[in-house]
Amino acid sequence: LISLFLYCPAVFAAPFVDTVDTKYDNAIEVVNRLEIMNGYEDGTFRPELSVSRAEFAVILYRIVTQRGEFPTEYKEFSDVSEEHWAYRQINTVAALGLMGTSQDTFLPEREMTGSEVVFSFINLLGREKIAELSGGYPSGYQKAASSAGLLKGISASGASRGEIAQMIYNALDIPVLQETGFGQASTLQEDRDRTLLYEYFHLVKVKGRLTAN
């Protein structure tokens, strides 16, 4: 079942007191409506704040689980106990290869960097082979992200809450590449209709303008 996601900037009022008429207000509104990113109890979103690796794992988890994507085996980390508030989310996205890790540690409280955010979304969009052929991490991933349109409206850092919201917003319109074949005969195919919004949320974005009689 595919639903329509109506995007009408004129009626997308920012739901947070600190994002009205700001650079990322439309992006924040969309990711909040899709329940990917939430605000704080005081009615703020705090777009300038940094995001920890654990917090970012939760954001990714909210996307991938929309289509029931779970790994068959989970990774375990010495610095993420079963009592950690994001234990399930961290182990899920790490097992899916969406976040880089060391051999046995995740560093959940360390702040995300822009390059790490880009790495995750390039993998989510199925474009990691393009990134590796373009120079690998981090430069090749930045090139792949720029070419795909993932970095529109993003500053140099790309790791604040507002910038991550903008990157998610950009990613929603980008096709998720599908790999066909095996080994050296494998190819990446792009279907413009199979965007991240379609693949993970089963939604089709429709732009429009509301008018009164």
Side-chain angles (χ1 to χ4, degrees), residues 88-212:
R88 181 177 67 251
Q89 295 91 335
I90 287 171
N91 285 280
T92 298
V93 300
L96 291 172
L98 295 177
M99 291 186 71
T101 64
S102 67
Q103 184 67 27
D104 63 351
T105 59
F106 185 81
L107 307 177
E109 308 311 319
R110 183 173 64 74
E111 293 181 359
M112 288 290 293
T113 67
S115 294
E116 288 174 329
V117 174
V118 166
F119 172 88
S120 294
F121 282 110
I122 286 297
N123 279 274
L124 191 64
L125 292 164
R127 296 168 181 265
E128 61 273 18
K129 283 194 172 182
I130 294 175
E132 290 297 329
L133 290 173
S134 299
Y137 183 82
S139 62
Y141 283 78
Q142 291 286 339
K143 291 176 184 177
S146 180
S147 177
L150 188 62
L151 303 181
K152 289 185 295 186
I154 304 295
S155 69
S157 66
S160 70
R161 282 173 54 82
E163 289 164 334
I164 289 172
Q166 183 65 50
M167 204 175 299
I168 296 170
Y169 178 79
N170 294 341
L172 293 174
D173 278 340
I174 299 175
V176 177
L177 298 188
Q178 307 294 326
E179 185 172 3
T180 61
F182 300 95
Q184 294 183 345
S186 66
T187 59
L188 294 175
Q189 293 187 343
E190 177 178 304
D191 182 341
R192 294 299 303 173
D193 293 329
R194 303 188 74 87
T195 63
L196 188 141
L197 183 66
Y198 177 92
E199 286 290 300
Y200 285 90
F201 295 90
H202 307 293
L203 293 171
V204 176
K205 189 166 86 171
V206 177
K207 292 186 178 182
R209 180 175 61 186
L210 297 182
T211 58

Side-chain angles (χ1 to χ4, degrees), residues 31 33-37 58-70 92 96 124 172 196-203:
V31 300
R33 284 175 179 258
L34 291 173
E35 300 181 347
I36 302 172
M37 296 182 72
V58 172
I59 291 172
L60 291 176
Y61 182 87
R62 289 172 179 162
I63 296 174
V64 298
T65 53
Q66 287 293 323
R67 66 175 184 181
E69 189 168 333
F70 295 95
T92 298
L96 291 172
L124 191 64
L172 293 174
L196 188 141
L197 183 66
Y198 177 92
E199 286 290 300
Y200 285 90
F201 295 90
H202 307 293
L203 293 171

